[in-house]
mmCIF file of all heavy atoms in Angstrom:
data_model
loop_
_atom_site.group_PDB
_atom_site.id
_atom_site.type_symbol
_atom_site.label_atom_id
_atom_site.label_comp_id
_atom_site.label_asym_id
_atom_site.label_seq_id
_atom_site.Cartn_x
_atom_site.Cartn_y
_atom_site.Cartn_z
ATOM 1 N N ARG A 68 9.612 1.204 11.169
ATOM 2 C CA ARG A 68 8.971 2.059 10.179
ATOM 3 C C ARG A 68 8.483 1.232 8.993
ATOM 4 O O ARG A 68 9.230 0.467 8.415
ATOM 5 C CB ARG A 68 9.965 3.121 9.720
ATOM 6 C CG ARG A 68 9.347 4.192 8.855
ATOM 7 C CD ARG A 68 10.273 5.347 8.644
ATOM 8 N NE ARG A 68 11.624 4.897 8.385
ATOM 9 C CZ ARG A 68 12.433 5.420 7.486
ATOM 10 N NH1 ARG A 68 12.068 6.435 6.786
ATOM 11 N NH2 ARG A 68 13.625 4.909 7.291
ATOM 12 N N LEU A 69 7.234 1.440 8.661
ATOM 13 C CA LEU A 69 6.646 0.874 7.466
ATOM 14 C C LEU A 69 6.427 2.060 6.554
ATOM 15 O O LEU A 69 5.500 2.851 6.727
ATOM 16 C CB LEU A 69 5.311 0.180 7.838
ATOM 17 C CG LEU A 69 4.613 -0.668 6.805
ATOM 18 C CD1 LEU A 69 5.543 -1.773 6.323
ATOM 19 C CD2 LEU A 69 3.355 -1.263 7.393
ATOM 20 N N ASP A 70 7.325 2.196 5.589
ATOM 21 C CA ASP A 70 7.371 3.369 4.706
ATOM 22 C C ASP A 70 6.798 3.014 3.349
ATOM 23 O O ASP A 70 7.330 2.156 2.635
ATOM 24 C CB ASP A 70 8.797 3.846 4.571
ATOM 25 C CG ASP A 70 8.913 5.106 3.761
ATOM 26 O OD1 ASP A 70 8.018 5.976 3.852
ATOM 27 O OD2 ASP A 70 9.897 5.250 3.000
ATOM 28 N N ARG A 71 5.654 3.617 3.025
ATOM 29 C CA ARG A 71 5.019 3.391 1.731
ATOM 30 C C ARG A 71 4.987 4.721 0.996
ATOM 31 O O ARG A 71 4.403 5.690 1.495
ATOM 32 C CB ARG A 71 3.603 2.849 1.919
ATOM 33 C CG ARG A 71 3.624 1.449 2.556
ATOM 34 C CD ARG A 71 2.261 0.985 2.871
ATOM 35 N NE ARG A 71 2.258 -0.419 3.211
ATOM 36 C CZ ARG A 71 1.393 -0.991 4.017
ATOM 37 N NH1 ARG A 71 0.422 -0.276 4.548
ATOM 38 N NH2 ARG A 71 1.467 -2.280 4.285
ATOM 39 N N ARG A 72 5.581 4.752 -0.194
ATOM 40 C CA ARG A 72 5.673 5.981 -0.992
ATOM 41 C C ARG A 72 4.958 5.858 -2.304
ATOM 42 O O ARG A 72 5.251 4.962 -3.109
ATOM 43 C CB ARG A 72 7.135 6.344 -1.250
ATOM 44 C CG ARG A 72 7.890 6.752 -0.058
ATOM 45 C CD ARG A 72 7.485 8.141 0.423
ATOM 46 N NE ARG A 72 7.911 8.265 1.820
ATOM 47 C CZ ARG A 72 7.164 8.796 2.738
ATOM 48 N NH1 ARG A 72 5.953 9.257 2.484
ATOM 49 N NH2 ARG A 72 7.602 8.896 3.984
ATOM 50 N N ALA A 73 4.043 6.782 -2.534
ATOM 51 C CA ALA A 73 3.236 6.832 -3.755
ATOM 52 C C ALA A 73 4.124 7.207 -4.948
ATOM 53 O O ALA A 73 5.048 8.003 -4.823
ATOM 54 C CB ALA A 73 2.086 7.828 -3.617
ATOM 55 N N HIS A 74 3.759 6.621 -6.120
ATOM 56 C CA HIS A 74 4.433 6.976 -7.375
ATOM 57 C C HIS A 74 3.382 7.420 -8.378
ATOM 58 O O HIS A 74 2.806 8.462 -8.198
ATOM 59 C CB HIS A 74 5.268 5.788 -7.868
ATOM 60 C CG HIS A 74 6.478 5.545 -7.039
ATOM 61 N ND1 HIS A 74 7.613 6.299 -7.171
ATOM 62 C CD2 HIS A 74 6.714 4.693 -6.016
ATOM 63 C CE1 HIS A 74 8.504 5.885 -6.296
ATOM 64 N NE2 HIS A 74 7.970 4.923 -5.568
ATOM 65 N N ALA A 75 3.087 6.654 -9.393
ATOM 66 C CA ALA A 75 2.150 7.050 -10.406
ATOM 67 C C ALA A 75 0.734 6.956 -9.911
ATOM 68 O O ALA A 75 0.301 5.913 -9.404
ATOM 69 C CB ALA A 75 2.317 6.155 -11.635
ATOM 70 N N ILE A 76 -0.011 8.068 -9.984
ATOM 71 C CA ILE A 76 -1.376 8.147 -9.505
ATOM 72 C C ILE A 76 -2.291 8.546 -10.636
ATOM 73 O O ILE A 76 -1.950 9.437 -11.421
ATOM 74 C CB ILE A 76 -1.516 9.201 -8.366
ATOM 75 C CG1 ILE A 76 -0.474 8.987 -7.286
ATOM 76 C CG2 ILE A 76 -2.926 9.232 -7.822
ATOM 77 C CD1 ILE A 76 -0.547 7.663 -6.597
ATOM 78 N N LEU A 77 -3.456 7.922 -10.715
ATOM 79 C CA LEU A 77 -4.429 8.253 -11.756
ATOM 80 C C LEU A 77 -5.828 8.274 -11.140
ATOM 81 O O LEU A 77 -6.251 7.305 -10.527
ATOM 82 C CB LEU A 77 -4.376 7.180 -12.872
ATOM 83 C CG LEU A 77 -5.360 7.338 -14.022
ATOM 84 C CD1 LEU A 77 -5.102 8.638 -14.783
ATOM 85 C CD2 LEU A 77 -5.248 6.137 -14.954
ATOM 86 N N GLN A 78 -6.515 9.403 -11.263
ATOM 87 C CA GLN A 78 -7.882 9.491 -10.814
ATOM 88 C C GLN A 78 -8.773 9.088 -11.982
ATOM 89 O O GLN A 78 -8.790 9.747 -13.030
ATOM 90 C CB GLN A 78 -8.257 10.879 -10.320
ATOM 91 C CG GLN A 78 -9.648 10.894 -9.762
ATOM 92 C CD GLN A 78 -9.819 11.831 -8.565
ATOM 93 O OE1 GLN A 78 -8.885 12.526 -8.163
ATOM 94 N NE2 GLN A 78 -10.987 11.828 -7.992
ATOM 95 N N LEU A 79 -9.480 7.977 -11.824
ATOM 96 C CA LEU A 79 -10.333 7.432 -12.918
ATOM 97 C C LEU A 79 -11.707 8.035 -12.949
ATOM 98 O O LEU A 79 -12.478 7.742 -13.857
ATOM 99 C CB LEU A 79 -10.414 5.923 -12.788
ATOM 100 C CG LEU A 79 -9.103 5.159 -12.871
ATOM 101 C CD1 LEU A 79 -9.358 3.665 -12.710
ATOM 102 C CD2 LEU A 79 -8.419 5.439 -14.189
ATOM 103 N N GLY A 80 -12.037 8.866 -12.014
ATOM 104 C CA GLY A 80 -13.330 9.495 -11.935
ATOM 105 C C GLY A 80 -13.485 10.070 -10.550
ATOM 106 O O GLY A 80 -12.536 10.035 -9.759
ATOM 107 N N PRO A 81 -14.655 10.599 -10.207
ATOM 108 C CA PRO A 81 -14.786 11.234 -8.899
ATOM 109 C C PRO A 81 -14.716 10.252 -7.736
ATOM 110 O O PRO A 81 -14.501 10.691 -6.614
ATOM 111 C CB PRO A 81 -16.189 11.896 -8.991
ATOM 112 C CG PRO A 81 -16.894 11.180 -10.080
ATOM 113 C CD PRO A 81 -15.846 10.683 -11.045
ATOM 114 N N GLY A 82 -14.826 8.960 -8.020
ATOM 115 C CA GLY A 82 -14.879 8.033 -6.895
ATOM 116 C C GLY A 82 -13.819 6.930 -6.940
ATOM 117 O O GLY A 82 -13.861 5.993 -6.137
ATOM 118 N N VAL A 83 -12.823 7.047 -7.851
ATOM 119 C CA VAL A 83 -11.812 5.990 -7.948
ATOM 120 C C VAL A 83 -10.430 6.593 -8.228
ATOM 121 O O VAL A 83 -10.280 7.405 -9.127
ATOM 122 C CB VAL A 83 -12.138 4.978 -9.070
ATOM 123 C CG1 VAL A 83 -11.048 3.881 -9.180
ATOM 124 C CG2 VAL A 83 -13.486 4.334 -8.873
ATOM 125 N N ILE A 84 -9.454 6.178 -7.406
ATOM 126 C CA ILE A 84 -8.066 6.543 -7.616
ATOM 127 C C ILE A 84 -7.246 5.250 -7.658
ATOM 128 O O ILE A 84 -7.410 4.374 -6.791
ATOM 129 C CB ILE A 84 -7.518 7.432 -6.484
ATOM 130 C CG1 ILE A 84 -8.292 8.768 -6.432
ATOM 131 C CG2 ILE A 84 -6.005 7.717 -6.696
ATOM 132 C CD1 ILE A 84 -7.917 9.644 -5.230
ATOM 133 N N VAL A 85 -6.385 5.129 -8.646
ATOM 134 C CA VAL A 85 -5.477 3.995 -8.735
ATOM 135 C C VAL A 85 -4.056 4.518 -8.752
ATOM 136 O O VAL A 85 -3.785 5.538 -9.411
ATOM 137 C CB VAL A 85 -5.756 3.176 -10.039
ATOM 138 C CG1 VAL A 85 -4.741 2.043 -10.192
ATOM 139 C CG2 VAL A 85 -7.166 2.656 -10.052
ATOM 140 N N GLY A 86 -3.185 3.846 -8.036
ATOM 141 C CA GLY A 86 -1.798 4.303 -8.037
ATOM 142 C C GLY A 86 -0.860 3.206 -7.618
ATOM 143 O O GLY A 86 -1.264 2.184 -7.047
ATOM 144 N N SER A 87 0.432 3.421 -7.898
ATOM 145 C CA SER A 87 1.430 2.484 -7.481
ATOM 146 C C SER A 87 2.222 3.082 -6.301
ATOM 147 O O SER A 87 2.270 4.317 -6.169
ATOM 148 C CB SER A 87 2.350 2.117 -8.626
ATOM 149 O OG SER A 87 3.136 3.202 -9.018
ATOM 150 N N TYR A 88 2.797 2.215 -5.529
ATOM 151 C CA TYR A 88 3.621 2.643 -4.421
ATOM 152 C C TYR A 88 4.654 1.572 -4.111
ATOM 153 O O TYR A 88 4.532 0.438 -4.484
ATOM 154 C CB TYR A 88 2.774 2.995 -3.168
ATOM 155 C CG TYR A 88 2.066 1.814 -2.529
ATOM 156 C CD1 TYR A 88 2.626 1.136 -1.447
ATOM 157 C CD2 TYR A 88 0.836 1.358 -2.992
ATOM 158 C CE1 TYR A 88 1.981 0.073 -0.844
ATOM 159 C CE2 TYR A 88 0.171 0.316 -2.418
ATOM 160 C CZ TYR A 88 0.752 -0.344 -1.311
ATOM 161 O OH TYR A 88 0.111 -1.417 -0.750
ATOM 162 N N VAL A 89 5.713 2.025 -3.409
ATOM 163 C CA VAL A 89 6.777 1.115 -2.973
ATOM 164 C C VAL A 89 6.716 1.017 -1.460
ATOM 165 O O VAL A 89 6.542 2.018 -0.748
ATOM 166 C CB VAL A 89 8.162 1.624 -3.427
ATOM 167 C CG1 VAL A 89 9.277 0.811 -2.799
ATOM 168 C CG2 VAL A 89 8.271 1.612 -4.948
ATOM 169 N N THR A 90 6.800 -0.236 -0.976
ATOM 170 C CA THR A 90 6.826 -0.492 0.467
ATOM 171 C C THR A 90 8.251 -0.802 0.909
ATOM 172 O O THR A 90 8.928 -1.662 0.289
ATOM 173 C CB THR A 90 5.923 -1.696 0.816
ATOM 174 O OG1 THR A 90 4.583 -1.382 0.439
ATOM 175 C CG2 THR A 90 5.981 -2.008 2.299
ATOM 176 N N ARG A 91 8.682 -0.094 1.906
ATOM 177 C CA ARG A 91 9.973 -0.385 2.558
ATOM 178 C C ARG A 91 9.658 -0.692 4.017
ATOM 179 O O ARG A 91 8.952 0.041 4.698
ATOM 180 C CB ARG A 91 10.912 0.806 2.472
ATOM 181 C CG ARG A 91 11.361 1.101 1.091
ATOM 182 C CD ARG A 91 12.509 2.092 1.073
ATOM 183 N NE ARG A 91 13.644 1.644 0.313
ATOM 184 C CZ ARG A 91 13.691 1.579 -1.020
ATOM 185 N NH1 ARG A 91 12.613 1.952 -1.700
ATOM 186 N NH2 ARG A 91 14.740 1.160 -1.626
ATOM 187 N N THR A 92 10.218 -1.809 4.496
ATOM 188 C CA THR A 92 9.973 -2.265 5.862
ATOM 189 C C THR A 92 11.313 -2.184 6.614
ATOM 190 O O THR A 92 12.217 -2.964 6.290
ATOM 191 C CB THR A 92 9.430 -3.708 5.851
ATOM 192 O OG1 THR A 92 8.321 -3.749 4.928
ATOM 193 C CG2 THR A 92 8.952 -4.127 7.201
ATOM 194 N N LEU A 93 11.429 -1.275 7.552
ATOM 195 C CA LEU A 93 12.706 -0.960 8.159
ATOM 196 C C LEU A 93 12.722 -1.157 9.691
ATOM 197 O O LEU A 93 11.744 -0.883 10.346
ATOM 198 C CB LEU A 93 13.052 0.510 7.862
ATOM 199 C CG LEU A 93 13.106 0.899 6.392
ATOM 200 C CD1 LEU A 93 12.924 2.377 6.228
ATOM 201 C CD2 LEU A 93 14.406 0.443 5.773
ATOM 202 N N ALA A 94 13.889 -1.603 10.157
ATOM 203 C CA ALA A 94 14.209 -1.609 11.584
ATOM 204 C C ALA A 94 15.393 -0.649 11.691
ATOM 205 O O ALA A 94 16.505 -1.003 11.297
ATOM 206 C CB ALA A 94 14.562 -2.969 12.104
ATOM 207 N N GLY A 95 15.141 0.586 12.106
ATOM 208 C CA GLY A 95 16.165 1.615 12.003
ATOM 209 C C GLY A 95 16.413 1.884 10.547
ATOM 210 O O GLY A 95 15.498 2.230 9.804
ATOM 211 N N ASP A 96 17.688 1.700 10.120
ATOM 212 C CA ASP A 96 18.027 1.906 8.716
ATOM 213 C C ASP A 96 18.162 0.595 7.951
ATOM 214 O O ASP A 96 18.542 0.571 6.775
ATOM 215 C CB ASP A 96 19.365 2.695 8.594
ATOM 216 C CG ASP A 96 19.219 4.120 9.088
ATOM 217 O OD1 ASP A 96 18.106 4.681 8.966
ATOM 218 O OD2 ASP A 96 20.219 4.669 9.589
ATOM 219 N N THR A 97 17.871 -0.513 8.604
ATOM 220 C CA THR A 97 18.032 -1.831 8.006
ATOM 221 C C THR A 97 16.740 -2.325 7.365
ATOM 222 O O THR A 97 15.686 -2.328 8.007
ATOM 223 C CB THR A 97 18.464 -2.871 9.088
ATOM 224 O OG1 THR A 97 19.676 -2.412 9.681
ATOM 225 C CG2 THR A 97 18.684 -4.245 8.474
ATOM 226 N N GLU A 98 16.852 -2.723 6.074
ATOM 227 C CA GLU A 98 15.688 -3.270 5.392
ATOM 228 C C GLU A 98 15.414 -4.656 5.942
ATOM 229 O O GLU A 98 16.284 -5.519 5.923
ATOM 230 C CB GLU A 98 15.961 -3.412 3.886
ATOM 231 C CG GLU A 98 16.182 -2.111 3.167
ATOM 232 C CD GLU A 98 14.930 -1.470 2.618
ATOM 233 O OE1 GLU A 98 13.815 -1.979 2.852
ATOM 234 O OE2 GLU A 98 15.061 -0.422 2.007
ATOM 235 N N ILE A 99 14.211 -4.908 6.435
ATOM 236 C CA ILE A 99 13.832 -6.205 6.993
ATOM 237 C C ILE A 99 13.226 -7.089 5.894
ATOM 238 O O ILE A 99 13.456 -8.270 5.850
ATOM 239 C CB ILE A 99 12.814 -6.027 8.139
ATOM 240 C CG1 ILE A 99 13.430 -5.187 9.255
ATOM 241 C CG2 ILE A 99 12.320 -7.365 8.661
ATOM 242 C CD1 ILE A 99 14.685 -5.765 9.874
ATOM 243 N N ILE A 100 12.466 -6.487 5.001
ATOM 244 C CA ILE A 100 11.880 -7.147 3.867
ATOM 245 C C ILE A 100 12.336 -6.358 2.650
ATOM 246 O O ILE A 100 12.304 -5.119 2.663
ATOM 247 C CB ILE A 100 10.314 -7.158 3.959
ATOM 248 C CG1 ILE A 100 9.860 -7.925 5.201
ATOM 249 C CG2 ILE A 100 9.686 -7.767 2.709
ATOM 250 C CD1 ILE A 100 8.410 -7.749 5.558
ATOM 251 N N PRO A 101 12.756 -7.008 1.586
ATOM 252 C CA PRO A 101 13.180 -6.242 0.392
ATOM 253 C C PRO A 101 11.998 -5.363 -0.087
ATOM 254 O O PRO A 101 10.837 -5.756 -0.022
ATOM 255 C CB PRO A 101 13.479 -7.317 -0.650
ATOM 256 C CG PRO A 101 13.776 -8.568 0.142
ATOM 257 C CD PRO A 101 12.925 -8.437 1.365
ATOM 258 N N PRO A 102 12.341 -4.155 -0.596
ATOM 259 C CA PRO A 102 11.281 -3.264 -1.078
ATOM 260 C C PRO A 102 10.531 -3.911 -2.251
ATOM 261 O O PRO A 102 11.101 -4.655 -3.033
ATOM 262 C CB PRO A 102 12.024 -2.038 -1.567
ATOM 263 C CG PRO A 102 13.444 -2.206 -1.188
ATOM 264 C CD PRO A 102 13.640 -3.600 -0.736
ATOM 265 N N PHE A 103 9.233 -3.606 -2.315
ATOM 266 C CA PHE A 103 8.437 -4.110 -3.421
ATOM 267 C C PHE A 103 7.375 -3.100 -3.800
ATOM 268 O O PHE A 103 6.966 -2.274 -3.007
ATOM 269 C CB PHE A 103 7.808 -5.472 -3.074
ATOM 270 C CG PHE A 103 6.866 -5.483 -1.902
ATOM 271 C CD1 PHE A 103 5.515 -5.360 -2.093
ATOM 272 C CD2 PHE A 103 7.357 -5.601 -0.602
ATOM 273 C CE1 PHE A 103 4.631 -5.336 -1.001
ATOM 274 C CE2 PHE A 103 6.505 -5.609 0.488
ATOM 275 C CZ PHE A 103 5.140 -5.475 0.282
#
Side-chain angles (χ1 to χ4, degrees):
R68 189 168 43 139
L69 190 57
D70 184 36
R71 294 174 169 152
R72 291 287 161 224
H74 288 280
I76 308 300
L77 178 62
Q78 184 144 5
L79 298 179
V83 179
I84 298 173
V85 176
S87 67
Y88 66 96
V89 172
T90 298
R91 293 192 128 74
T92 310
L93 303 158
D96 292 330
T97 303
E98 296 271 2
I99 301 300
I100 299 168
F103 61 96

